[in-house]
Amino acid sequence: MQKLVFFVGVAGTGKTTVAKKLAARIPAAFLDRDTVGGRFVEKFLESNGLDPNDRDSSFYKEHLRDLEYDTTKDICIENLNAGQNVFMISPFTAELKNRAWIEEVITSAGLTKNEVDVKVIVVTLKDMDLQKERIIDRQTERDQWKLDHWDDFKKRVDFVPEINWDIPESAIKVFDNSGSLTEEKVEELYQFIAAE
């Protein structure tokens, strides 16, 4: 059965790091929404006289956010249709709320829910200092807003999104990524993904 795994959570929790560790054990198309749309979004923002790194502006949310997510979804659909496992990395907050969204992904790939095992790993952090350190260490300009508004942003770190998809509770795992990402933790997540 093909695997479609979503690594969701707020910035700095380590979604991409966790997904990369698991990608070393499970062959999958690796789709990070920031990589898929980042350069285009920066150009669009810049050409409209806006900060190319601002993902919190109303202009971004109104004109570009869905473009990034929909493009990532289209690439996911193509890979599923080609028989690949897929790892999707991004918050996906609105998509997780939309019950029809995951159904559309699967049916658009020409597959059924019996052929695709959908899992959601919600990556969180209890350690606020570690989250800030990780955001600083990755040195991306788009994180500056988060750092400048840390008191507001840090309220989101433990955030577990509302998931309205028609998948069993056993297909959702909240993973606290505080401390080292040990082999034992990776094995636990691997077993979660591998289980059908």
Side-chain angles (χ1 to χ4, degrees):
M1 182 179 280
Q2 283 175 255
K3 301 289 183 181
L4 174 54
V5 186
F6 291 81
F7 296 83
V8 304
V10 299
T13 53
K15 297 183 297 294
T16 302
T17 302
V18 170
K20 282 182 178 176
K21 282 283 189 184
L22 289 156
R25 297 188 61 182
I26 302 169
F30 192 91
L31 303 181
D32 187 321
R33 188 255 322 160
D34 284 334
T35 305
V36 170
R39 290 182 190 229
F40 299 101
V41 166
E42 287 168 14
K43 266 298 193 216
F44 273 118
L45 289 170
E46 200 171 43
S47 67
N48 281 278
L50 300 166
D51 179 350
N53 300 299
D54 185 358
R55 300 300 188 274
D56 289 285
S57 71
S58 56
F59 182 90
Y60 168 78
K61 290 174 181 173
E62 185 178 338
H63 298 287
L64 301 173
R65 189 247 183 231
D66 289 347
L67 184 63
E68 272 193 298
Y69 277 88
D70 289 346
T71 302
T72 307
K73 178 179 80 170
D74 290 345
I75 298 170
C76 171
I77 290 167
E78 283 194 348
N79 276 276
L80 287 174
N81 182 257
Q84 302 298 311
N85 297 320
V86 179
F87 284 4
M88 297 277 273
I89 301 97
S90 199
F92 289 101
T93 311
E95 290 72 19
L96 289 166
K97 289 179 187 174
N98 181 350
R99 189 175 182 87
W101 191 88
I102 194 66
E103 310 289 338
E104 182 184 333
V105 168
I106 293 168
T107 57
S108 295
L111 299 167
T112 67
K113 288 170 67 176
N114 293 329
E115 297 170 300
V116 181
D117 183 28
V118 178
K119 299 278 173 70
V120 178
I121 298 176
V122 181
V123 184
T124 65
L125 266 185
K126 301 283 185 217
D127 185 338
M128 294 305 305
D129 293 333
L130 177 60
Q131 187 202 21
K132 189 171 188 179
E133 184 181 309
R134 286 178 179 172
I135 289 175
I136 291 168
D137 285 350
R138 68 186 189 182
Q139 297 182 351
T140 61
E141 288 183 34
R142 70 175 177 270
D143 286 331
Q144 194 57 51
W145 182 92
K146 299 172 187 76
L147 295 171
D148 290 345
H149 300 87
W150 187 250
D151 286 341
D152 291 328
F153 180 75
K154 72 180 182 181
K155 294 173 186 167
R156 305 182 203 174
V157 72
D158 267 355
F159 176 70
V160 175
E162 179 184 341
I163 302 172
N164 291 330
W165 294 350
D166 183 20
I167 59 175
E169 276 191 41
S170 60
I172 301 166
K173 183 170 187 67
V174 178
F175 175 70
D176 177 12
N177 195 27
S178 298
S180 299
L181 186 56
T182 63
E183 286 307 314
E184 290 78 13
K185 290 178 181 178
V186 174
E187 176 65 21
E188 178 189 339
L189 292 172
Y190 171 78
Q191 292 300 331
F192 165 73
I193 293 171
E196 291 186 4

